[in-house]
Amino acid sequence: MDYENSLFPGIGLIDADVMDCISGNIAVLLTQAGVDDVRTPFAHAWAFRLVGDETGGLSVELPAKTLNESLSHFTGRRLRWRDIRGAADSVNEWRDLTAQGQGVLVVGDAYDLPWVPYFGHEHMQHGFVVVGVEGSTLRVVDPYDNVTRWGRAVPVTVRVGLHEVERALTAGSWATLEEVGRRRDVSVADIVARNCKVMSSDATADNVRRFLTSYDELTRESLQNLTLQTWLLTRDRELHSRWLFDVANVYPPADDLARVLADQVVPQWKKAQELSYIALRRAEGGKSVPNVQEELRIVLRNEIHLAKNSAVSRV
């Protein structure tokens, strides 16, 4: 594996420091396709929705299931996914696509991806973009930016042999962007007002109650999930506040909401994220854990209060 000295063009437009690895790589595809606004599709929503998993647990719906709908609405493009049924066969398809200037989003097992800190440490899904194929060598762009217990992941462009990542692709998948029509006009005022209405709704209050109740008992397993949820929510809220600052240029009332989110809510989420991580490490060591639930209750209550009392909620 060889690192390139320069990063992929357009990577500086991506909010990699507050995105998960899949969203960040979708943003790479959008920049490659010439899309100017690679923030709005991921950042415009402010919500607290839940989804269940196969174990009966609850997770926050981030990124939303409607991501393809958002991509279609704001960019005129959507993702088309395929399973990797054979790495060599898939690479042949990637070779043709990248030769035409089209990047390929690939999702594999981070445990076997040599440029990420999770390599050899933790099994988890991780995305990256293949932007070129030369023989059996892949040119990979990965904008992921995150501090892990095994070191920091930073945006990179690398050349890696198929044999180095083939195991990671065994049960993987891949996607390309396809055009579905023209992007639609955006009413920023409507989006911001709708977000406040959603966050102040009875449905959101019920979701908060269900979410907090699901963590009445903090076990090692539940803390692993909670640490992930708080990490995702912290990044989501910071990304949304950046978007609000952007749109305040055309809708000034959004500026006040952006400042409260950035100055008060995001720091509270960061505190909850840090506390949940500390609790997880203590649980792993067989020690007592801090009261994470109360910190979550505070920040979620404050979010709902902000949504109810924001001036834009009455537009």
Side-chain angles (χ1 to χ4, degrees):
M1 181 183 69
D2 296 314
Y3 288 88
E4 294 189 4
N5 292 327
S6 59
L7 295 177
F8 191 71
I11 206 168
L13 301 174
I14 298 168
D15 296 291
D17 61 320
V18 290
M19 280 182 162
D20 64 69
C21 65
I22 305 299
S23 296
N25 284 290
I26 296 172
V28 169
L29 297 184
L30 292 173
T31 62
Q32 194 179 34
V35 175
D36 294 328
D37 180 5
V38 295
R39 177 175 288 168
T40 297
F42 310 97
H44 71 283
W46 182 28
F48 191 84
R49 299 186 179 94
L50 300 178
V51 291
D53 58 30
E54 61 276 5
T55 66
L58 293 175
S59 298
V60 182
E61 192 182 66
L62 297 171
K65 285 184 177 180
T66 56
L67 178 57
N68 249 345
E69 180 181 332
S70 295
L71 289 172
S72 299
H73 185 103
F74 295 110
T75 74
R77 295 164 174 82
R78 64 185 293 121
L79 291 168
R80 180 190 172 200
W81 286 96
R82 298 89 152 174
D83 292 331
I84 297 176
R85 304 191 182 280
D89 291 338
S90 294
V91 167
N92 285 333
E93 292 186 73
W94 303 345
R95 180 182 291 107
D96 294 339
L97 289 165
T98 56
Q100 300 167 25
Q102 186 171 6
V104 177
L105 169 58
V106 182
V107 178
D109 188 346
Y111 188 89
D112 293 299
L113 297 176
W115 65 87
V116 295
Y118 306 108
F119 180 60
H121 294 292
E122 185 174 353
H123 293 281
M124 61 184 296
Q125 285 192 327
H126 185 77
F128 56 93
V129 177
V130 175
V131 295
V133 180
E134 301 168 2
S136 60
T137 298
L138 309 179
R139 185 171 184 241
V140 167
V141 172
D142 188 348
Y144 189 54
D145 190 341
N146 187 34
V147 177
T148 79
R149 67 174 70 180
W150 300 287
R152 179 158 195 142
V154 296
V156 294
T157 303
V158 300
R159 294 182 186 273
V160 61
L162 175 59
H163 67 282
E164 297 179 83
V165 298
E166 191 164 9
R167 185 191 292 263
L169 306 180
T170 302
S173 57
W174 61 283
T176 52
L177 281 179
E178 57 183 18
E179 293 191 28
V180 292
R182 299 177 61 183
R183 67 178 296 277
R184 285 173 274 174
D185 292 333
V186 177
S187 171
V188 172
D190 287 347
I191 292 174
V192 177
R194 184 169 63 248
N195 285 341
C196 288
K197 184 176 181 179
V198 168
M199 277 301 297
S200 60
S201 67
D202 290 341
T204 292
D206 183 59
N207 284 338
V208 168
R209 285 191 293 270
R210 291 169 57 212
F211 184 75
L212 292 173
T213 300
S214 71
Y215 291 104
D216 278 346
E217 183 180 356
L218 293 179
T219 64
R220 177 177 175 175
E221 291 71 24
S222 67
L223 280 167
Q224 286 176 331
N225 185 52
L226 181 59
T227 300
L228 173 61
Q229 302 311 309
T230 55
W231 181 83
L232 289 168
L233 281 160
T234 301
R235 290 193 162 211
D236 177 77
R237 276 19 181 188
E238 186 161 3
L239 182 59
H240 184 61
S241 70
R242 291 182 188 181
W243 179 79
L244 285 169
F245 279 123
D246 282 346
V247 300
N249 294 322
V250 295
Y251 182 56
D255 186 73
D256 288 340
L257 184 58
R259 293 189 185 282
V260 176
L261 277 171
D263 296 340
Q264 298 179 28
V265 174
V266 170
Q268 289 177 328
W269 274 116
K270 288 182 177 179
K271 184 178 179 181
Q273 177 191 347
E274 181 180 0
L275 198 61
S276 64
Y277 179 74
I278 291 172
L280 172 60
R281 298 305 300 271
R282 288 184 64 85
E284 290 173 339
K287 302 177 182 178
S288 61
V289 300
N291 189 351
V292 184
Q293 300 98 320
E294 183 58 25
E295 199 64 42
L296 287 168
R297 186 174 291 107
I298 290 171
V299 63
L300 286 165
R301 182 185 63 205
N302 288 347
E303 280 201 308
I304 291 173
H305 178 79
L306 174 61
K308 286 181 177 179
N309 292 279
S310 172
V312 298
S313 67
R314 297 185 290 274
V315 174

